[in-house]
């Protein structure tokens, strides 16, 4: 990526920008991100294989992230809460549309609770390598144009906000009036490089000024920006000083249907009663687990949960303690991640869960050929039979229990007679070691579940409901 960084510095002059709140509920629309049509005889098999592979690639990144130093962040003292549409996308993620700049330029961002930087394709010279996805025109990727915004400012080394991404020692990397160093962020599916800007994030209830965003000049396999909702200081929740955010993910339909659900951002603790949480009653809560004190600062961005046990059909799966509870090195434990599609389990954990399903669903014959095609396991041939599946339940510290809807952990393959468990394992990446989180709860297993990140009280809330 060295050439990419040279390109970034050569394009600084193209930015052409000058040097560097009341309280309601903010709502965004979440939309599923879609892959355009397939020519496969069975498109659903191809889609599941793609999502399985991308989920494993994402898990590999979350388990082996590059170390990024972080710094303390000053909170944004706004009193506004917002609601924004959240849209599901068929390549396995959910997107939000955000308005940035003065006047505002609206762009689509992947909503990601497993990373922190908020960035977008930037300037007319933005280049995305490997972005020739079906339905994506590389030359027409929507881009933010800094020179058209009066509020855009390049962040300098002397600006404390340079440390949000690079750590408090970043100013030592340069002197005088130099700009904040160029960044490069890697994801499971690709990477992005650019410069940090100070901008205005717009909501109908009011703007968030001096918000740090990434102006990406070069990316690989990243045709859209990413809105980081992780626990790092550069994330959207931390920069906005959110007390809580919540969402309810509509089902992945993988058909480009323009469906969405609301994501709620709460900036005022006075608005955190049930009347402002979507009217949801009976939400179960479990405390976020303290992040492991690993030397890898990336682990500090994740939302760790205290998972006590997993049951299948009421029977406890005997998972070794070391996989359920993270060590000080950051290995083991459970995180929740909206950027992962299918829930990931270390091979040892996945084998135990899969074997329990195989034991309790023994009346169905294994569809080994389908397992080979999709990368999912176990798959069953349910031709001519009434489908009955045991309940999959996650039990958390404090007594909270999450019983998943059956459609969240098993999927029928289009017009075939095969039924597959939509949970992936590390056996496809050849890792027999316990590295990083052992269980990563993906968005496919969060469909039609109200999920609430109560940041003020340090807890996760959830309840099954039909998302709209």
């Amino acid at each position: 990526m060295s050439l990419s960084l040279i390109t970034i510095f050569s394009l600084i002059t193209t930015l052409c920008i000058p040097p560097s709140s009341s309280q309601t509920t903010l709502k965004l629309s979440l939309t599923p991100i879609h892959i355009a049509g397939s020519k496969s005889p069975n498109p659903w098999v191809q889609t599941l294989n793609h999502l399985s592979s991308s989920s494993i690639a994402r898990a590999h990144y979350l388990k082996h992230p590059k170390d990024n130093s972080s710094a303390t962040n000053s909170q944004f003292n706004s009193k506004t809460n917002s609601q924004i549409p959240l849209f599901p996308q068929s390549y396995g993620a959910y997107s939000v549309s955000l308005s940035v700049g003065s006047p505002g330029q609206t762009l689509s961002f992947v909503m990601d609770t497993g990373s922190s930087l908020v960035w977008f394709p930037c300037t007319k010279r933005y280049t995305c390598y490997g972005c020739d996805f079906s339905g994506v025109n590389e030359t027409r990727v929507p881009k933010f144009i800094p020179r058209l915004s009066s509020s855009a400012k390049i962040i300098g080394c002397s600006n404390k906000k340079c440390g949000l991404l690079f750590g408090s020692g970043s100013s030592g990397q340069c002197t005088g009036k130099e700009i904040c160093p160029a960044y490069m962020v890697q994801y499971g599916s690709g990477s992005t490089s650019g410069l940090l800007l100070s901008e205005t994030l717009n909501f109908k209830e009011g703007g968030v000024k001096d918000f740090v965003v990434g102006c990406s000049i070069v990316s690989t396999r990243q045709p859209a920006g990413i809105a980081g909702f992780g626990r790092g200081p550069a994330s959207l929740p931390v920069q906005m000083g959110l007390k809580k955010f919540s969402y309810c993910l509509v089902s992945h339909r993988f058909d480009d249907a323009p469906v969405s659900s609301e994501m709620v951002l709460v900036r005022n603790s006075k608005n955190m009663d049930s009347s402002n949480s979507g009217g949801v009653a009976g939400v179960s809560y479990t405390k976020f687990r303290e992040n492991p004190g690993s030397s890898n600062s990336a682990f500090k961005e994740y939302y760790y949960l205290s998972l006590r046990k997993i049951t299948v059909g009421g029977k406890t799966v005997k998972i070794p303690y070391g996989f359920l509870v993270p060590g000080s090195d950051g290995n083991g434990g459970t995180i929740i991640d909206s950027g992962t599609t299918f829930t990931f389990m270390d091979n040892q954990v996945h084998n135990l869960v899969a074997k329990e399903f195989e034991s309790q669903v023994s009346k169905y014959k294994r569809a080994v050929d389908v397992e080979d095609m999709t990368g999912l396991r176990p798959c069953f041939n349910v031709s001519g039979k009434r489908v009955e599946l045991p309940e999959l339940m996650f039990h958390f510290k404090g007594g909270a229990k999450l019983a998943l809807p059956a459609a969240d952990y098993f999927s029928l393959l289009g017009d075939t007679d095969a039924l597959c468990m939509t949970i992936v394992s590390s056996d496809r990446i050849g890792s027999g070691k316990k590295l990083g989180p052992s269980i990563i709860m993906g968005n496919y297993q969060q469909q039609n579940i109200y999920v609430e990140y109560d940041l003020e009280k340090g807890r996760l809330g959830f309840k099954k409901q039909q998302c709209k």
Side-chain angles (χ1 to χ4, degrees):
M1 292 299 293
S2 57
L3 287 177
S4 299
L5 296 181
I6 292 172
T7 303
I8 290 169
F9 285 113
S10 70
L11 291 176
I12 291 173
T13 55
T14 71
L15 298 179
C16 300
I17 55 180
S20 219
S21 55
S22 52
Q23 295 198 5
T24 48
T25 296
L26 307 174
K27 293 185 179 180
L28 302 175
S29 289
L30 280 171
T31 308
I33 300 171
H34 299 291
I35 302 173
S38 162
K39 296 180 180 179
S40 166
N42 190 334
W44 188 238
V45 171
Q46 186 183 53
T47 296
L48 287 182
N49 182 270
H50 168 82
L51 295 176
S52 173
S53 298
S54 63
S55 297
I56 291 170
R58 169 73 174 185
H60 188 265
Y61 155 73
L62 292 175
K63 291 165 71 64
H64 307 82
K66 290 192 69 175
D67 185 14
N68 289 312
S69 298
S70 59
T72 4
N73 175 45
S74 56
Q75 297 287 323
F76 175 75
N77 297 318
S78 171
K79 301 178 180 179
T80 309
N81 307 328
S82 297
Q83 296 179 345
I84 50 180
L86 189 61
F87 294 87
Q89 308 292 344
S90 75
Y91 62 72
Y94 288 76
S95 70
V96 294
S97 291
L98 297 173
S99 172
V100 183
S102 306
Q105 300 176 44
T106 301
L107 296 168
S108 178
F109 298 77
V110 173
M111 189 272 293
D112 183 12
T113 61
S115 67
S116 293
L117 180 64
V118 178
W119 67 269
F120 41 53
C122 193
T123 80
K124 291 183 178 179
R125 298 190 184 184
Y126 175 77
T127 303
C128 186
Y129 297 101
C131 288
D132 53 342
F133 303 117
S134 179
V136 174
N137 186 330
E138 291 182 85
T139 64
R140 294 187 178 182
V141 171
K143 307 170 186 69
F144 182 82
I145 310 299
R147 64 181 177 80
L148 299 181
S149 172
S150 62
S151 54
K153 299 188 265 301
I154 296 179
I155 292 179
C157 276
S158 59
N159 190 326
K160 290 182 179 179
K161 294 200 171 187
C162 178
L164 294 187
L165 191 63
F166 296 101
S168 56
S170 57
S171 58
Q173 300 179 33
C174 49
T175 57
K177 297 182 180 180
E178 294 182 22
I179 64 170
C180 191
Y183 62 81
M184 185 178 77
V185 180
Q186 291 187 331
Y187 301 94
S189 57
S191 62
T192 190
S193 304
L195 299 170
L196 294 181
L197 299 181
S198 173
E199 253 298 4
T200 297
L201 185 59
N202 304 301
F203 297 97
K204 62 181 180 181
E205 298 82 3
V208 182
K209 297 182 179 180
D210 298 320
F211 188 90
V212 175
V213 293
C215 170
S216 283
I217 310 296
V218 179
S219 297
T220 57
R221 299 185 63 80
Q222 299 292 329
I226 291 179
F229 276 77
R231 304 179 90 170
S235 75
L236 186 147
V238 176
Q239 287 200 68
M240 290 181 64
L242 296 185
K243 304 299 181 183
K244 178 178 77 174
F245 66 92
S246 61
Y247 54 73
C248 189
L249 303 181
V250 295
S251 296
H252 280 292
R253 292 178 174 82
F254 309 109
D255 57 2
D256 289 316
V259 295
S260 66
S261 58
E262 284 185 336
M263 182 178 195
V264 181
L265 313 180
V266 178
R267 286 190 259 174
N268 180 6
S269 55
K270 292 181 181 179
N271 294 336
M272 290 180 66
D273 56 24
S274 60
S275 64
N276 283 280
S277 62
V280 180
V283 177
S284 296
Y285 290 96
T286 182
K287 286 283 188 180
F288 286 124
R289 190 176 188 89
E290 184 177 349
N291 289 47
S294 168
S295 58
N296 194 326
S297 61
F299 289 150
K300 295 178 174 64
E301 298 189 5
Y302 304 158
Y303 292 97
Y304 278 85
L305 305 176
S306 293
L307 180 64
R308 285 290 181 81
K309 65 179 180 179
I310 296 174
T311 58
V312 175
K315 185 175 180 179
T316 299
V317 179
K318 296 181 180 180
I319 300 170
Y321 180 82
F323 290 100
L324 295 176
V325 179
S328 59
D329 56 2
N331 298 331
T334 300
I335 67 171
I336 181 169
D337 175 42
S338 67
T340 296
T341 306
F342 295 147
T343 288
F344 170 91
M345 294 178 177
D346 271 338
N347 198 36
Q348 295 90 328
V349 179
H350 185 275
N351 282 342
L352 293 170
V353 173
K355 286 180 180 177
E356 190 55 45
F357 271 109
E358 291 166 15
S359 173
Q360 296 189 31
V361 193
S362 57
K363 66 178 179 180
Y364 303 131
K365 184 179 179 181
R366 287 275 296 279
V368 179
D369 56 334
V370 177
E371 293 177 1
D372 292 338
M373 287 188 291
T374 62
L376 298 173
R377 177 176 64 88
C379 294
F380 302 101
N381 188 322
V382 295
S383 175
K385 298 182 177 68
R386 180 181 176 183
V387 179
E388 295 179 355
L389 294 170
E391 183 178 64
L392 176 62
M393 182 179 289
F394 293 86
H395 302 250
F396 297 94
K397 184 177 181 180
K401 301 175 184 179
L402 176 58
L404 296 182
D408 282 11
Y409 57 96
F410 268 91
S411 179
L412 281 166
L413 271 68
D415 56 359
T416 71
D417 296 318
L419 184 73
C420 293
M421 185 171 76
T422 48
I423 295 176
V424 296
S425 74
S426 56
D427 60 349
R428 289 180 66 187
I429 54 177
S431 173
K433 297 181 180 179
K434 176 163 61 69
L435 296 171
S438 290
I439 301 173
I440 302 169
M441 295 188 65
N443 63 57
Y444 202 88
Q445 280 63 47
Q446 298 175 49
Q447 297 174 99
N448 289 314
I449 295 173
Y450 170 80
V451 182
E452 177 184 303
Y453 295 71
D454 187 342
L455 305 179
E456 187 169 59
K457 295 183 178 179
R459 61 185 186 173
L460 182 80
F462 46 79
K463 180 190 177 182
K464 284 198 293 187
Q465 74 172 46
Q466 192 66 34
C467 302
K468 298 179 180 180

